[in-house]
Amino acid sequence: MTDIPSDPWNIGFSEEVSTAEPTTMPGTSVMERPIDEWDDSTLVLGIETSCDETSASVVKGGREILSNVIVSQIQLHGEYGGIVPEIAARAHVEALTPAIGEAMLQADLTFWDLDAVAATLGPGLIGALLVGVAAAKSMAAVLEVPFVGVNHLEAHLYSNLLVDESARFPALALIISGGHTMLVDIKDHGVYEILGGTLDDAAGEAFDKVARFLGLEYPGGPEIDRLSLLGNPEAVAFPRSMLREPGFDVSYSGLKTAVINHIRKAEARGEEIVVEDIAASFQQAVVEIQVTKTMAAAEHVNAERLFLCGGVAANSGLRAGLDSACAGAGVKLFVPPMELCTDNAAMVAACGTAMLKRGLYLGLEASPDPNLPLVP
């Protein structure tokens, strides 16, 4: 495999060529194609169906969003208090074709204008992934263009490249969502080192579980964030697990349990439960833990840029905490807009374009992997 070249069309490739070996999809065939076939006019259709958002997007040159259609399933799963995989997969089947059609319409393109089709290969719910991958491979076969299988976590790394021209690699990234909490040292495109992550619950899972115990609506993260603005973050001194321990791993299971035990004891004593104060105190604990670990990692790798990405990147407390910490440390913080925090196909298309730039795409025999790792 050849070294990664510089980026003449400003997709964000670093000026210095990395000598590290890029990450490729395990268990699938990887083919090479001349990299000079992909330039700033390259049009990639992205498809995202890894969980509970159906999304289709057309991205030009890896950085210009021509369309980004997102169909949420929140109302479908709300009554169950969480995502039901079978319902998610069926909803993707119903929503994907209209979403693709709308994305092409908004982009003012025909399918024959496309240069490639990219879809999330994993990680995610296997039934949901199958819907998007099957559709993408079918389109790629008919159009006779490459099919690019994209790692969902890697795609999140590209969300900031779509909105800020100064965003580029190398950078430190905090991927924080419902299912993942991970600190990644991005050395170059396809060259990543995982510095730390959650040992149990991801931050988003902790938010949802605490919210469910408080009787809040699903999804719980936005509800806790909203209520936290009305409460006192110093009302309850919840524990900060692993805050002073070496390394960059985090743990949220103990914090979640502490919140639940606090509520049960207060109820047993007949005390009033101030939901706003509990929400604010819980969120403050999460923010303090994550900001502390993230800034320690930034110092460890001497990061000049920090990318915040994933669904929990929409949390106001986390944004404010990292903004303040980064300003004090001289680190440039990049945060995507709300529509690019959640799962979306624009980031998939952008990541797919970067893979094409490296001369990589997959054969039509490639299958989705619900446990696909960022680094094999």
Side-chain angles (χ1 to χ4, degrees):
M1 186 173 295
T2 57
D3 289 335
I4 301 174
S6 60
D7 177 34
W9 56 82
N10 193 33
I11 188 176
F13 286 85
S14 59
E15 293 299 324
E16 296 183 0
V17 177
S18 172
T19 58
E21 192 71 8
T23 298
T24 56
M25 294 290 178
T28 58
S29 62
V30 179
M31 297 177 284
E32 295 188 359
R33 182 169 174 150
I35 60 175
D36 58 2
E37 293 188 14
W38 316 108
D39 56 23
D40 58 0
S41 66
T42 297
L43 296 169
V44 175
L45 171 67
I47 294 174
E48 160 60 28
T49 62
S50 65
C51 194
D52 62 336
E53 273 96 17
T54 307
S55 183
S57 170
V58 179
V59 171
K60 181 179 180 181
R63 297 200 78 144
E64 181 182 355
I65 301 175
L66 302 184
S67 63
N68 190 30
V69 177
I70 303 174
V71 182
S72 175
Q73 299 180 10
I74 288 179
Q75 291 185 338
L76 295 177
H77 302 284
E79 63 179 294
Y80 302 101
I83 298 169
V84 181
E86 176 66 17
I87 293 177
R90 290 180 179 274
H92 286 310
V93 172
E94 295 178 0
L96 183 55
T97 298
I100 292 173
E102 181 62 24
M104 295 300 295
L105 183 65
Q106 291 182 13
D108 194 23
L109 298 171
T110 71
F111 288 104
W112 303 105
D113 294 320
L114 297 174
D115 295 300
V117 182
T120 302
L121 202 67
L125 304 173
I126 184 60
L129 291 167
L130 281 167
V131 176
V133 170
K137 291 198 296 185
S138 298
M139 293 179 62
V142 170
L143 299 174
E144 297 183 334
V145 298
F147 161 67
V148 188
V150 172
N151 185 298
H152 179 78
L153 298 177
E154 184 176 10
H156 271 301
L157 303 178
Y158 284 81
S159 56
N160 285 295
L161 298 184
L162 287 164
V163 292
D164 194 325
E165 293 184 357
S166 66
R168 59 185 177 88
F169 300 160
L172 175 68
L174 170 59
I175 304 175
I176 184 164
S177 65
H180 301 90
T181 300
M182 185 181 300
L183 283 165
V184 181
D185 182 14
I186 311 172
K187 302 178 185 297
D188 208 326
H189 293 259
V191 186
Y192 315 118
E193 179 185 356
I194 298 175
L195 301 177
T198 180
L199 300 180
D200 36 60
D201 287 346
E205 290 174 321
F207 271 104
D208 285 340
K209 290 176 180 178
V210 169
R212 188 181 303 120
F213 194 81
L214 288 172
L216 304 179
E217 294 182 359
Y218 174 85
E223 282 296 292
I224 288 182
D225 191 18
R226 179 182 64 82
L227 291 171
S228 70
L229 299 176
L230 306 175
N232 177 12
E234 307 298 331
V236 185
F238 290 126
R240 272 69 164 160
S241 301
M242 301 181 65
L243 186 66
R244 303 305 174 190
E245 293 185 17
F248 312 112
D249 290 330
V250 295
S251 171
Y252 291 116
S253 179
L255 172 60
K256 172 202 66 181
T257 301
V259 175
I260 293 174
N261 288 340
H262 172 83
I263 296 172
R264 286 174 173 168
K265 291 178 180 179
E267 290 176 338
R269 294 192 295 264
E271 298 176 358
E272 180 185 3
I273 304 298
V274 182
V275 176
E276 293 82 359
D277 285 350
I278 293 176
S281 299
F282 166 69
Q283 178 161 300
Q284 181 64 24
V286 172
V287 169
E288 184 176 342
I289 292 170
Q290 201 60 66
V291 169
T292 300
K293 291 293 185 176
T294 300
M295 298 314 297
E299 182 179 0
H300 176 72
V301 300
N302 195 26
E304 296 180 3
R305 289 169 289 275
L306 172 63
F307 288 1
L308 179 61
C309 43
V312 184
N315 182 274
S316 63
L318 183 60
R319 285 177 175 236
L322 284 175
D323 184 64
S324 177
C326 285
V331 177
K332 173 66 174 176
L333 176 64
F334 295 87
V335 184
M338 294 298 183
E339 64 270 18
L340 295 182
C341 289
T342 187
D343 295 346
N344 66 91
M347 68 184 191
V348 174
C351 183
T353 305
M355 292 177 67
L356 290 170
K357 170 60 183 170
R358 302 203 302 273
L360 303 176
Y361 62 100
L362 300 181
L364 296 180
E365 76 279 5
S367 300
D369 181 353
N371 300 307
L372 186 66
L374 177 61
V375 178

